[in-house]
């Protein structure tokens, strides 16, 4: 039921007619502490409510008034008593209050001459019905479903008898730049000169309340001085006006805010975004929930389009509406807000209908439309106060609501991390090289072989070709093993020699010449129309094997562009004896985005004991920064066994996540490896547990050739739900020129996948398999189109 309520609440908030943080505090339909009193004394205390209609409204609804007078004479005393009993004898619970508000809203619609079939009215009634469903229990569902039809009949009876009197008040705050027509719109709404206007200079110099009655509705407009266009000299004045308005409405907050802008001046470069941002800064982003955008001068001449012809009125209004809402989105840094837009025309020569109401070029009566929007916004705000929804929606950048996934953080913690060292060899490979008993001169003892030319190779028989290639491959394997072993011993001897020089205080080699720079391979750049290839722009030299700095190329860059997308840096150095540090990172900078990924680590390596390491990982996630501090301890007390334990602390969006893990690796020979790991990750109110068991069988020529078969079993427990999964990975050679990679996984949710990848340098016909996938995708797309066509028919 809670999930359903949250969904309904999100539906109610999907339109800006309701505020998540209402501005109407003390002037709501039911004030706190006096709800029962006000409702019980509606007949007497609210006798000042006026039912007088304006002249224009009287002429528009003359026939309706005659019908009401005739009905008044035919109403029986029984019906009057039933109506009064209904109004005075109801229980004062939340549902009853919402039903009373629905009756009042239906009475307001009758006075404004609006039909219940109006789209806006239908939305308001639907959301009021959803609000009652949220707070209704199972015993009240039948009552809620029957209340809609009953409210219509009760509203008709109360409007006919005039008992109880309709008490509805609405406070409206008016904001906008000077000269846009704020005061003129207030006069047009009341159909009389309530405020002073001037076409040549600002007429409103102070905050003032303008009160009046429209069709029995008590309307109060808070007219404010106009803002000046944003500039260095006007910012202080605009902010001073906003602060004075904020102090003025503190005791009696408005129900609705009207922000004015001139339609004839709206274009791609006119809207004052700094002014909108200043309004958001002073009043808070919540002000836009109850704001209606009003565009004056809506009957002005429409500009010409690019083709020299006048733009269609509807298209012009749509374009200006989009621009207005777009700049509001920029001011609040959130595109989810959709503020309603209304058109207004206050010119004395504005066309009018037969009842004297000003109409727009599309035939709409803007005055009644504006009143309807204000009433709907006020009613939905009162429903929000009655039902007391949680304020779960906040305006702002979308990234502020992002929450990291604990399973993802846990998998990152369980990932095996390489300890920085200058040997450049992994711990497992080093363990294998130390335990492997291979004679160094095994490759040198082989007899010499003559390498055949291509023409000579073609003359051999099929069996001779196979034997020749097998011999070449065997010699290549032995040569690579010899090179790996020699490189390992060379690095060890270099480290031992360095240690001896440090012990003997020998600095004779300090002034030796630096190593010769090495040119890195050229980057693959896309084709260009330039006469000269720009590859030279990406060439870089490595002057030290401990520091590598390379540019990051953007393959999607524009032609004639350098296309440097970022910089990549890798370095490893020895800080002191047995203490090593490494830094690896990449920075990407665009015109609007900045991305950073870096891994820094330091380790103390005891040749005869444990290894202690600590690192800091930093990366950007949108506009937030994810920082992880981790520490590991590696123990090698037992031969062919490597134990690892570690902890981590992750900071993201002012929240912290703590994790811990243990890992044990058992090597059986050089081909079989078992890895067991377990860990947990704890965040704000959540904990994730996980563990894995991995078995790896390597090929005979490991580590020269990386052929392996791995079986991984994992378990994850999060939010009282456990998921078991199995993963099979294999990489092997079918023959000398054909390699295959197979991966498959399946979990306890009956979800899984199989992936087969093959690569070959000779059998190009394997690429024909892609035609099967293309054909299947096209056939599936055709079938989807046929289904859509059948549904449309």
């Amino acid at each position: 039921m809670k999930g359903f309520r949250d969904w309904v609440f999100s539906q109610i908030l999907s339109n800006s007619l309701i505020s998540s943080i209402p501005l109407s505090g003390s002037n709501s339909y039911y004030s706190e502490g006096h709800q029962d009193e006000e409702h019980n004394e509606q007949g007497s205390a609210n006798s000042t409510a006026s039912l007088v209609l304006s002249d224009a409204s009287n002429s528009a609804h003359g026939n309706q008034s005659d019908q009401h007078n005739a009905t008044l004479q035919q109403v029986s005393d029984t019906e009057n008593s039933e109506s009064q009993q209904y109004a005075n004898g109801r229980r004062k619970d939340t549902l009853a209050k919402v039903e009373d508000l629905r009756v009042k809203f239906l009475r307001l619609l009758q006075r404004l001459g609006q039909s219940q079939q109006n789209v806006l009215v239908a939305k308001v009634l639907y959301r009021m019905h959803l609000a009652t469903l949220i707070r209704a229990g199972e015993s009240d569902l039948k009552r809620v479903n029957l209340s809609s039809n009953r409210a219509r009949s009760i509203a008709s009876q109360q409007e006919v008898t005039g008992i109880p009197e309709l008490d509805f008040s609405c406070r409206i705050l008016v904001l906008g730049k000077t000269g846009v027509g704020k005061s003129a719109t207030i006069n047009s709404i009341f159909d009389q000169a309530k405020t002073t206007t001037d076409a040549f200079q600002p007429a409103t110099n102070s905050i003032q309340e303008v009160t009046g009655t429209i069709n029995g509705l008590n309307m109060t407009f808070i007219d404010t001085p106009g803002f000046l266009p944003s500039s260095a000299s006007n910012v202080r004045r605009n902010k001073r006006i906003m602060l004075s308005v904020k102090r003025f409405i503190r005791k009696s907050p408005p129900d609705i805010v009207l922000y004015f802008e001139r339609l004839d001046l709206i274009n791609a470069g006119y809207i004052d975004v700094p002014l909108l941002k200043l309004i958001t800064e002073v009043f808070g982003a919540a002000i836009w929930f109850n704001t209606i955008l009003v565009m004056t001068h809506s009957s002005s001449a429409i500009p010409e389009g690019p083709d020299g012809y006048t733009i269609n009125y509807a298209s012009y209004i749509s374009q200006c509406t989009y621009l207005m809402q777009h700049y509001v989105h920029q001011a609040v840094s959130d595109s989810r807000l959709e503020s309603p837009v209304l058109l207004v025309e206050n010119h004395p020569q504005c066309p009018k209908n037969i009842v004297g109401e000003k109409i727009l070029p599309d035939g709409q009566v803007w005055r009644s439309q504006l009143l309807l929007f204000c009433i709907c916004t006020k009613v939905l705000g009162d429903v929000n106060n009655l039902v007391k929804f949680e304020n779960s929606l906040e305006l702002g950048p979308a990234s502020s609501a992002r929450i990291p996934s604990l399973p993802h953080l846990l998998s990152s913690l369980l990932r095996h991390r390489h300890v920085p060292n200058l040997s450049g060899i992994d711990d497992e490979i080093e363990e294998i090289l130390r335990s492997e008993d291979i004679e160094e001169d095994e490759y040198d003892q082989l007899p010499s072989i003559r390498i055949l030319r291509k023409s000579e190779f073609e003359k051999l028989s099929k069996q001779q070709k196979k034997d020749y290639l097998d011999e070449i491959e065997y010699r290549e394997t032995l040569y690579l093993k010899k090179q790996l072993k020699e490189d390992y011993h060379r690095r060890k001897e270099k480290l031992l020699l360095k240690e001896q020089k440090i012990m003997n205080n020998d600095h004779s080699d300090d002034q030796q010449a630096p190593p010769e720079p090495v040119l890195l391979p050229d980057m693959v750049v896309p084709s260009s129309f330039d006469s000269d290839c720009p590859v030279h722009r990406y060439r870089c030299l490595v002057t030290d094997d401990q520091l590598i700095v390379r540019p990051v190329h953007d393959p999607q860059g524009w032609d004639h562009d350098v296309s440097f997308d970022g910089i990549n840096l890798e370095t490893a150095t020895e800080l002191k004896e047995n203490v090593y540090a490494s830094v690896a990172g990449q920075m990407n900078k665009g015109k609007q985005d900045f991305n950073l990924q870096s891994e820094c680590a330091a380790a103390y390596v005891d040749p005869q004991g444990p290894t202690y390491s600590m690192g800091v990982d930093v990366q950007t996630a949108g506009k937030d920064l994810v920082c992880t501090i981790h520490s590991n301890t590696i123990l090698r007390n037992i031969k062919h066994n490597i134990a690892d334990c570690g902890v981590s602390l992750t900071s993201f969006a002012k929240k912290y996540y703590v994790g811990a893990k243990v890992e044990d690796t058992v090597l059986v020979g050089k081909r079989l490896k078992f890895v067991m790991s377990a860990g947990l990750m704890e965040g704000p109110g959540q904990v994730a547990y996980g563990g894995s068991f991995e078995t790896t069988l390597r090929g005979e020529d490991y580590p020269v050739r990386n052929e392996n078969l791995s079986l991984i079993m994992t378990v994850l427990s999060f939010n009282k739900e456990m998921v078991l999964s199995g993963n099979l990975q294999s990489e092997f050679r079918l023959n000398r020129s054909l390699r295959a990679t197979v991966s498959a996984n399946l979990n306890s949710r009956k979800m899984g996948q199989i992936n087969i990848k093959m690569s070959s340098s000779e059998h190009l016909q394997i690429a024909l398999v892609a035609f099967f996938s293309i054909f299947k995708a096209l056939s599936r797309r055709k079938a989807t189109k046929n289904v859509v066509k059948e549904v449309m028919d």
Side-chain angles (χ1 to χ4, degrees):
M1 186 67 181
K2 183 179 178 182
F4 170 74
R5 291 179 178 179
D6 294 340
W7 174 83
V8 173
F9 184 47
S10 65
Q11 294 295 320
I12 294 177
L13 289 178
S14 61
N15 192 288
S16 60
L17 289 177
I18 186 170
S19 170
S20 174
I21 307 176
L23 296 175
S24 54
S26 60
N27 197 32
S28 300
Y29 176 64
Y30 291 102
S31 300
E32 296 181 1
H34 303 282
Q35 294 174 354
D36 296 342
E37 255 181 59
E38 291 181 356
H39 192 83
N40 292 333
E41 299 177 1
Q42 280 182 351
S44 57
N46 296 329
S47 59
T48 58
S50 175
L51 296 177
V52 180
L53 304 178
S54 63
D55 296 338
S57 181
N58 282 334
S59 60
H61 304 288
N63 296 333
Q64 183 178 358
S65 300
D66 296 339
Q67 183 179 358
H68 286 179
N69 294 332
T71 309
L72 281 172
Q73 299 175 2
Q74 299 174 3
V75 174
S76 62
D77 297 337
T78 305
E79 292 176 343
N80 291 335
S81 60
E82 289 179 356
S83 177
Q84 293 177 2
Q85 182 179 2
Y86 171 81
N88 298 325
R90 302 184 62 191
R91 295 186 299 111
K92 296 291 103 181
D93 56 358
T94 302
L95 296 181
K97 296 172 184 176
V98 176
E99 292 175 8
D100 290 341
L101 187 57
R102 182 188 289 111
V103 172
K104 178 171 290 191
F105 178 63
L106 293 174
R107 293 183 63 182
L108 292 171
L109 294 178
Q110 294 185 22
R111 297 200 176 187
L112 293 179
Q114 297 289 342
S115 172
Q116 298 181 17
Q117 305 302 323
N118 185 291
V119 176
L120 181 60
V121 173
K123 287 183 178 180
V124 174
L125 293 175
Y126 174 69
R127 290 167 186 173
M128 294 178 70
H129 182 67
L130 288 180
T132 55
L133 289 177
I134 293 175
R135 291 294 180 258
E138 295 183 359
S139 59
D140 295 327
L141 290 179
K142 184 177 180 181
R143 167 189 169 188
V144 171
N145 293 329
L146 296 177
S147 62
S148 298
N149 295 330
R150 185 172 55 186
R152 291 185 177 90
S153 60
I154 294 174
S156 300
Q157 293 179 9
Q158 291 184 357
E159 193 65 17
V160 168
T161 59
I163 301 175
E165 293 184 355
L166 181 61
D167 179 22
F168 184 87
S169 61
C170 185
R171 291 178 60 85
I172 302 174
L173 175 64
V174 177
L175 297 176
K177 285 189 285 191
T178 181
V180 295
K182 302 185 298 297
S183 301
T185 302
I186 295 175
N187 294 337
S188 298
I189 292 175
F190 287 109
D191 200 16
Q192 54 181 307
K194 289 276 188 177
T195 61
T196 304
T197 60
D198 196 319
F200 302 101
Q201 61 182 359
T204 306
N205 298 320
S206 61
I207 304 173
Q208 56 183 351
E209 289 189 356
V210 181
T211 305
T213 302
I214 304 173
N215 294 3
L217 314 180
N218 296 326
M219 309 292 291
T220 300
F221 288 86
I222 305 175
D223 197 7
T224 61
F227 306 126
L228 295 179
S230 291
S231 64
S233 58
N234 294 334
V235 171
R236 179 176 295 181
R237 177 187 181 277
N238 291 339
K239 190 170 185 178
R240 184 170 62 251
I241 294 175
M242 295 179 190
L243 292 176
S244 62
V245 173
K246 187 176 181 180
R247 288 191 299 267
F248 185 87
I249 65 176
R250 184 172 299 169
K251 295 182 180 180
S252 184
D255 303 310
I256 304 148
V257 178
L258 300 182
Y259 182 79
F260 284 76
E261 196 63 73
R262 288 185 59 164
L263 179 67
D264 56 337
L265 297 181
I266 293 178
N267 53 57
Y270 173 76
I271 295 297
D272 204 338
V273 179
L275 179 61
L276 299 178
K277 290 184 177 181
L278 185 61
I279 293 175
T280 306
E281 176 185 349
V282 174
F283 293 98
I287 190 176
W288 297 106
F289 278 114
N290 285 57
T291 299
I292 300 176
L293 305 178
V294 180
M295 295 191 290
T296 59
H297 296 259
S298 298
S299 296
S300 302
I302 301 176
E304 296 179 352
D307 54 357
Y309 294 95
T310 303
I311 305 176
N312 179 267
Y313 184 78
S315 301
Y316 180 66
I317 295 300
S318 177
Q319 178 184 0
C320 294
T321 300
Y322 170 78
L323 287 175
M324 194 72 184
Q325 293 180 342
H326 173 69
Y327 290 119
V328 173
H329 293 166
Q330 288 186 352
V332 299
S333 300
D334 198 327
S335 59
R336 296 174 295 173
L337 182 67
E338 293 186 6
S339 301
V341 178
L342 292 176
L343 305 178
V344 169
E345 179 54 66
N346 299 310
H347 198 276
Q349 302 300 325
C350 177
K352 300 181 180 180
N353 57 11
I354 57 176
V355 295
E357 296 176 324
K358 296 180 179 180
I359 60 175
L360 300 175
D362 57 358
Q364 291 187 0
V365 181
W366 67 264
R367 180 175 176 271
S368 59
Q369 194 73 5
L370 187 147
L371 293 175
L372 178 62
F373 266 82
C374 293
I375 291 173
C376 291
T377 305
K378 174 67 176 2
V379 169
L380 285 179
D382 291 339
V383 173
N384 185 29
N385 294 333
L386 288 175
V387 185
K388 297 180 180 179
F389 289 124
E390 296 180 0
N391 299 330
S392 60
L393 184 62
E394 297 180 358
L395 292 177
S399 60
S400 61
R402 297 177 60 183
I403 299 177
S405 171
L406 285 187
H408 175 75
L409 295 178
L410 180 59
S411 63
S412 177
L413 173 64
L414 296 177
R415 177 173 56 90
H416 180 71
R417 297 179 181 272
H418 296 281
V419 178
N421 58 73
L422 297 182
S423 65
I425 301 177
D426 187 72
D427 296 333
E428 298 178 5
I429 299 178
E430 184 176 354
E431 185 73 22
I432 293 173
L433 293 176
R434 281 190 297 187
S435 62
E436 193 176 31
D437 187 12
I438 298 179
E439 297 183 1
E440 294 185 5
D441 58 350
E442 183 179 357
Y443 174 78
D444 298 331
Q445 293 177 359
L446 292 175
S448 61
I449 183 174
R450 187 172 68 89
I451 305 299
L452 300 179
R453 298 179 180 178
K454 185 176 181 181
S455 59
E456 296 175 343
F457 179 78
E458 295 295 337
K459 295 178 181 180
L460 299 178
S461 63
K462 185 175 182 180
Q463 184 62 32
Q464 289 176 337
K465 290 180 180 179
K466 182 178 181 301
D467 295 339
Y468 176 78
L469 294 176
D470 289 341
E471 179 67 20
I472 293 296
E473 183 179 1
Y474 175 70
R475 289 172 176 265
E476 179 186 7
T477 303
L478 291 181
Y479 177 76
L480 292 176
K481 288 183 178 180
K482 177 185 176 182
Q483 290 293 104
L484 183 63
K485 193 92 172 181
E486 290 179 352
D487 184 64
Y488 170 71
H489 288 299
R490 190 184 308 111
R491 290 177 180 269
K492 286 296 182 181
E493 292 175 359
K494 184 178 180 181
L495 292 177
L496 291 176
L497 182 61
K498 188 175 182 180
E499 291 178 0
Q500 292 178 359
K501 289 184 178 181
I502 294 176
M503 294 177 61
N504 299 330
N505 294 325
D506 186 2
H507 302 284
S508 59
D509 294 338
D510 290 350
Q511 303 299 327
Q512 63 182 357
E516 295 184 1
V518 178
L519 179 65
L520 291 180
D522 289 340
M523 290 186 176
V524 179
V525 297
S527 302
S528 174
F529 290 101
D530 291 339
S531 58
D532 56 336
C533 184
V535 177
H536 64 278
R537 298 175 179 173
Y538 308 98
R539 289 174 182 165
C540 57
L541 299 176
V542 178
T543 58
D544 189 354
D545 59 351
Q546 296 182 2
L547 177 62
I548 300 177
V549 181
R550 294 174 294 181
V552 179
H553 177 252
D554 181 14
Q556 306 297 330
W558 291 92
D559 195 16
H560 305 285
D561 190 10
V562 176
S563 299
F564 278 159
D565 193 41
I567 298 177
N568 180 278
L569 182 143
E570 297 179 10
T571 180
T573 183
E574 184 179 7
L575 301 178
K576 56 187 302 185
E577 183 180 0
N578 297 332
V579 179
Y580 306 94
S582 66
V583 177
Q586 178 173 317
M587 181 198 68
N588 300 81
K589 178 66 175 70
K591 293 183 178 179
Q592 297 180 351
D593 300 328
F594 175 78
N595 297 321
L596 175 66
Q597 293 182 352
S598 66
E599 295 183 1
C600 307
Y604 170 76
V605 181
D606 188 350
Q608 305 298 330
T611 299
Y612 306 97
S613 64
M614 178 174 288
V616 178
D617 299 342
V618 178
Q619 67 177 9
T620 55
K623 295 184 178 180
D624 294 322
L625 195 66
V626 182
C627 181
T628 301
I629 302 176
H630 55 85
S631 177
N632 293 74
T633 301
I634 300 177
L635 304 176
R636 301 186 184 89
N637 296 331
I638 305 176
K639 189 177 181 180
H640 305 300
N641 180 269
I642 302 174
D644 185 3
C645 60
V647 295
S648 71
L649 174 64
T650 301
S651 172
F652 178 73
K654 297 183 180 180
K655 295 182 180 180
Y656 299 93
Y657 304 85
V658 182
K661 76 163 185 176
V662 291
E663 180 181 312
D664 188 69
T665 303
V666 178
L667 301 176
V668 181
K670 69 171 185 177
R671 299 187 59 187
L672 190 59
K673 181 181 73 169
F674 299 97
V675 180
M676 294 162 286
S677 62
L680 64 88
M681 182 66 64
E682 183 176 0
Q686 293 180 329
V687 181
Y689 304 91
S692 65
F693 177 78
E694 177 182 356
T695 302
T696 303
L697 179 63
R698 295 163 171 152
E700 296 180 354
D701 300 328
Y702 182 83
V704 174
R705 303 191 186 278
N706 190 22
E707 297 180 359
N708 60 77
L709 174 64
S710 300
L711 177 62
I712 306 173
M713 303 297 297
T714 61
V715 58
L716 175 65
S717 176
F718 180 63
N719 285 341
K720 299 181 180 181
E721 183 178 2
M722 181 176 294
V723 178
L724 301 175
S725 61
N727 191 359
L728 176 66
Q729 296 180 355
S730 178
E731 185 177 353
F732 53 92
R733 293 195 307 166
L734 297 176
N735 54 46
R736 298 179 188 87
S737 61
L738 184 62
R739 297 184 60 87
T741 302
V742 179
S743 62
N745 60 72
L746 181 66
N747 57 29
S748 57
R749 294 181 176 179
K750 299 181 180 180
M751 300 174 60
Q753 64 176 0
I754 299 177
N755 185 11
I756 301 176
K757 180 181 179 181
M758 302 180 67
S759 60
S760 174
S761 59
E762 295 182 359
H763 304 280
L764 300 180
Q765 59 271 23
I766 298 178
L768 298 177
V769 179
F771 286 100
F772 173 76
S773 302
I774 296 174
F775 175 76
K776 187 176 181 180
L778 293 177
S779 60
R780 184 183 302 173
R781 183 177 181 182
K782 184 177 181 181
T784 304
K785 287 184 177 180
N786 293 335
V787 172
V788 173
K789 185 177 181 180
E790 292 178 0
V791 172
M792 295 297 293
D793 294 340

